[in-house]
Every structure is written in C-alpha cells, then in structure tokens.
Amino acid sequence: MTQQTVAIVGFGTAGVNAAIALRNNGYEGKILAVTDGPAVPYSPILTSYYAGGQKTYEECFPWTEAEIDSLNVEILGGCTVEAIDVAAHTLRTTSGEFAYDKCVIATGSNPVTRGFPQVEGFEPLVMRSMDDAQALKDAAADPACKRVLVSGASMVALKTLEACVLRGLDVTLVGMMPHVLDMNALPAAAERFERGLEAMGVSLKLGTTIAGVKVIADDQAYCGRQLEVTFANGDVELFDHVSVAHGMRSNLDFIPAGDLEIDRALLVDEFMRTSNPDVYAAGDVAQALELISGQRRIVGIWKNAALQGACAGSAIAYELAGLPVPASCAFAGSISTNTIVVGDLLFISAGTIELNDDRRVEVCEKLGMLAVYIYEGERLVGFNQVCDNPEDRRLAYDAGGMLTLRIERALK
Ligand SMILES: Cc1cc2nc3c(=O)[nH]c(=O)nc-3n(C[C@H](O)[C@H](O)[C@H](O)COP(=O)(O)OP(=O)(O)OC[C@H]3O[C@@H](n4cnc5c(N)ncnc54)[C@H](O)[C@@H]3O)c2cc1C
C-alpha cells in the first residue's frame, strides 16, 4: 500500500497543532508541511515584544527544534504554496509540485496596508513576522529615528505602539474611527484607554486618515529623509517612520476562485472541513462557529488556531484510519477575547460589543478600573475592562478571567 500524505500549508500555531494531533491520534503516514516562514515557527503574538525589547529573539519561538523534530514532519521552510488544485489533490509550490491525500490550510493572516498611499522610495513598517519586528527594532535603535506615526487603532496597531513607546520614540496614532479598539471596545472603555495613552505622551489623531506622504531629502534625518504626512483633516506633520496596521486579511490568495467556499475566510464545519472533504482549514484562515452570534466568523486568536489545528489533525487521523470521527474531536466554537497592555494601561475584553434591542450596557468604575458590561437579559455576553493603575493589574487579570469564564459557561 502506498504511504498516505497529509499536507499542512503554513506551519504556525494551527499547522503545528494539526501535526501534533495527527501523531497523537495514531497517524503514522507522511506529514508534509509547506511554509514560507521558518521550519521552527515563531509566535506572531510575541513579535512586538521582541521589537519593544521585552522578549529576546529566542523567546519568540514557542517550540524547540527538538520538539518539532519529534513530530516526524517533512518541513519545507521558506517555501510558498502558489496554488492548490483540489480536484487533482496537488499543491504547486516554489519548490515544485506535491500530492496530498488530505490537506490542512493554516496560512494565517497578514496586516493590511490598504488605504496607505503608494509612496515612491518608502515602505511602511508592519507587524507580523520576526523580520517585521526586527525592522522596527532596528529603526528604533537609530538615534535619528525619533518620531513614529502608527496608522490603525486595533490590537496590532496598539501592540506596535507599545513597542515604540518602550523604545522611547515619540508616537502619534492615527485612526479612521472616532475611537481606538473600535472592533473590541465600546466608547466608554475606549475613551478611558485613550486618556491613558495621552497621559503617556502619545498623540492621538482619531477620526482622520493619512491623505498623502511626501519623502523629503534631509542628510541629517533618519535614512536621509523625512516623511511629510498630510492628514485628511488638513494637518501636516513630519515623521521619521510610519507603521501601518489597517486590519488583518486571511492568506488565501493561492486558492483558485470558486474551488472552496469562502466568505471572509474558509467556511468550515465542526471538524474544520472546508467545502471539499479532503481540505481542512484552521486558525486565522478559518471561519468557524462563534458562540455568541451563532454564526461562522474569524476569531483570530492563538488559542483558536491551536484548538482548530488540533481538531483538524484528529479528524484527519480518524478518517485516514477508516474510522468515524468521534463527536469529542469537534471544535466547540469560541468567543472573541483580547488582552492588550501599553505601558501602565491594560485592556481586557471578551464576548461581543454588538448592541441590539435585547442588550443593555452597564458602566462601572471600581478600584482604578473601568468596566463595561454588555448584558442580554440577565446573561453577560461581553465586557471591556480598562485598568490604568499597575498596582491593580493582578486584580484586573483575575476579574477578566472570571468574566470570560462567566460568558463561556452561560453558553454551555
Ligand atoms: C502583532 C500581533 C499580536 C497578536 N497578539 C495576540 C494576542 O495577544 N493574543 C492572541 O490570542 N492572538 C494574538 N495575535 C493573533 C495570533 O498571533 C494569531 O491568531 C495566530 O498566530 C494564528 O495562527 P495561525 O497558525 O493561523 O497563523 P500563523 O501563526 O500566522 O501561521 C501561518 C503560517 O503560514 C505561512 N504562510 C502564509 N501564506 C503561505 C503560503 N502561501 N505558503 C506557505 N506558507 C504560508 C506564514 O508565513 C506563517 O508561517 C496577534 C497577532 C499579531 C500579528
């Protein structure tokens, strides 16, 4: 009998957990992982901490080489999948063509720079990979780089901002919406966070965008140039660098249009199966059950990527063994959770901030913390918590953990 091959496209958290689950569930065939990242993956969560000096380079890699080796995976690192042919069961890559029996797509997502004007001779910084983090670290290490503009106001932008603040840079944040964290925070919590940012010396330009960037030659300046930024509100300011994080986009360009069911990402069932029975998806590329809405949504967090990768790997191991996949392998669904620290500021959220006629909001101020609760009837469906006193941080983490559990338990 010829050996079966499970191909894993993208070898980050979701991909590694798929491989672990395949082996833990008795699959002994070939696992081929194709990734344009390194063979031993880093954690995107930690990249900004490396840029900011809170983590060493080595600390950004959650698995050791020995742990990855023990999975007996053939890894093609630095290799891009250019196309998947789901009918022929093949992957076309920059290192040739490979056949598979089952495939897990786990290519993650990338920050979007859409909306940032094309500027000849200048590429903005982004934050996803170790190379991205290194670029920010290198820029910040140059004494001529003093003023940085961060464009975008969501989690990745704020984590980039934190790295810049830690490096002693003068930071301005520009955001299209009236408040930061518009996907995760209601205005009361966002305002409190914004006040904290301003108290730390961050300049906020909210409700506006970058309309244009001009590169001005200056021998004395960082990289021999200054960036003259014109904002949509008419302001004009000079910066040494710009970092852009205008949301995230799942990496799905290698899937021919119409071959797999895609909404914002790959639509999957409870075993992470896409619309093709031999193709699975996990992590930031998967649109799986979100428990509060009851809809399939992208919940782009580390824990989901790990659980979904494990779910796909287990299900494939059963299927290739000719066994029914037990219900215990199913992905139970998830809720969105976020934790962001910038200097003395801590923001924690979980659940939903979507309001409707059945939901009400309660704002509560206690012990240097602001909490916003979203209730549906008596059931807690979401919360935001902002803590700006480092002495209360432990308490804030504990409260955030308990509130998250409360939302999750109410859904069971
Ligand atoms: C700056 C930042 C901060 C974050 N902070 C948090 C946090 O605090 N908490 C949290 O839970 N989550 C956080 N996240 C999100 C979290 O990192 C992701 O949800 C998680 O890493 C997703 O895992 P994944 O396996 O789906 O994708 P990834 O870990 O990104 O792995 C995907 C891999 O696929 C590779 N790839 C992409 N396209 C191709 C292709 N065509 N061919 C071959 N390989 C390809 C990529 O190079 C990458 O190695 C953060 C993300 C960022 C960027």
Side-chain angles (χ1 to χ4, degrees):
M1 201 174 99
T2 54
Q3 198 188 34
Q4 291 168 316
T5 299
V6 177
I8 299 176
V9 185
F11 205 48
T13 326
V16 172
N17 278 282
I20 294 171
L22 277 159
R23 294 298 184 219
N24 284 348
N25 285 280
Y27 174 72
E28 291 178 351
K30 176 170 161 179
I31 304 177
L32 172 73
V34 187
T35 182
D36 61 12
V40 177
Y42 60 86
S43 163
I45 297 179
L46 302 176
T47 50
S48 67
Y49 297 111
Y50 171 64
Q54 296 146 291
K55 293 274 176 205
T56 64
Y57 192 88
E58 292 70 27
E59 282 171 339
C60 297
F61 292 76
W63 294 278
T64 62
E65 211 173 319
E67 283 167 332
I68 295 295
D69 281 352
S70 72
L71 296 170
N72 188 21
V73 177
E74 189 179 318
I75 306 170
L76 293 177
C79 174
T80 304
V81 172
E82 296 172 323
I84 181 169
D85 184 334
V86 295
H89 285 63
T90 55
L91 299 173
R92 194 185 75 225
T93 80
T94 45
S95 304
E97 196 166 287
F98 299 92
Y100 67 83
D101 294 284
K102 299 274 184 189
C103 177
V104 182
I105 297 178
T107 39
S109 59
N110 267 324
V112 173
T113 55
R114 189 182 43 233
F116 183 77
Q118 289 273 331
V119 189
E120 214 187 304
F122 174 71
E123 275 294 321
L125 296 163
V126 291
M127 185 60 69
R128 176 75 185 183
S129 67
M130 291 305 290
D131 287 350
D132 298 335
Q134 188 66 49
L136 174 55
K137 188 169 186 266
D138 291 346
D142 188 325
C145 184
K146 299 185 193 85
R147 278 202 88 197
V148 173
L149 176 65
V150 176
S151 183
S154 62
M155 186 176 74
V156 174
L158 288 168
K159 292 192 86 164
T160 307
L161 178 145
E162 186 200 17
C164 293
V165 168
L166 285 165
R167 291 285 174 191
L169 297 167
D170 178 355
V171 192
T172 298
L173 181 90
V174 56
M176 184 163 106
M177 305 306 283
H179 292 293
V180 296
L181 289 166
D182 57 289
M183 304 295 280
N184 308 100
L186 286 173
E191 275 165 21
R192 180 66 169 258
F193 199 81
E194 287 155 17
R195 261 188 279 145
L197 289 176
E198 284 174 328
M200 285 161 49
V202 174
S203 305
L204 296 179
K205 285 182 137 5
L206 294 170
T208 190
T209 53
I210 298 172
V213 179
K214 207 156 96 187
V215 178
I216 299 172
D218 179 348
D219 286 350
Q220 306 301 310
Y222 173 67
C223 290
R225 51 106 183 103
Q226 288 255 281
L227 300 165
E228 185 188 87
V229 178
T230 304
F231 295 93
N233 66 4
D235 291 355
V236 180
E237 291 186 41
L238 289 174
F239 295 94
D240 297 308
H241 223 321
V242 180
S243 176
V244 179
H246 293 172
M248 303 296 284
R249 198 170 76 95
S250 304
N251 296 319
L252 298 169
D253 289 349
F254 61 96
I255 302 170
D259 280 10
L260 296 172
E261 218 184 317
I262 295 178
D263 176 25
R264 293 169 67 84
L266 286 159
L267 291 163
V268 291
D269 68 10
E270 72 272 35
F271 296 115
M272 299 292 124
R273 276 184 294 238
T274 66
S275 53
N276 181 295
D278 293 327
V279 182
Y280 291 64
D284 288 4
V285 288
Q287 220 171 300
L289 178 66
E290 192 279 331
L291 292 166
I292 293 173
S293 63
Q295 295 170 355
R296 287 186 283 177
R297 292 184 173 183
I298 305 171
V299 179
I301 55 173
W302 176 271
K303 183 178 162 191
N304 261 5
L307 290 174
Q308 294 177 356
C311 169
S314 314
I316 292 172
Y318 277 94
E319 285 194 359
L320 290 179
L323 299 168
V325 185
S328 57
C329 288
F331 176 64
S334 63
I335 61 167
S336 175
T337 57
N338 281 287
T339 301
I340 300 169
V341 176
V342 183
D344 288 347
L345 275 174
L346 167 67
F347 171 82
I348 306 178
S349 74
T352 183
I353 56 160
E354 287 170 18
L355 300 180
N356 59 34
D357 290 347
D358 298 327
R359 291 183 183 159
R360 66 175 204 285
V361 174
E362 275 178 25
V363 180
C364 165
E365 174 98 47
K366 230 192 281 175
L367 290 168
M369 274 186 267
L370 181 98
V372 178
Y373 305 105
I374 300 111
Y375 288 99
E376 191 170 292
E378 291 313 305
R379 183 165 71 101
L380 184 71
V381 291
F383 77 90
N384 296 160
Q385 193 174 274
V386 182
C387 171
D388 45 20
N389 181 358
E391 283 172 20
D392 294 329
R393 191 168 282 182
R394 190 66 269 153
L395 211 62
Y397 276 119
D398 290 348
M402 280 189 298
L403 290 166
T404 305
L405 266 181
R406 197 170 136 196
I407 297 172
E408 286 173 340
R409 284 202 182 124
L411 289 161
K412 286 196 177 128

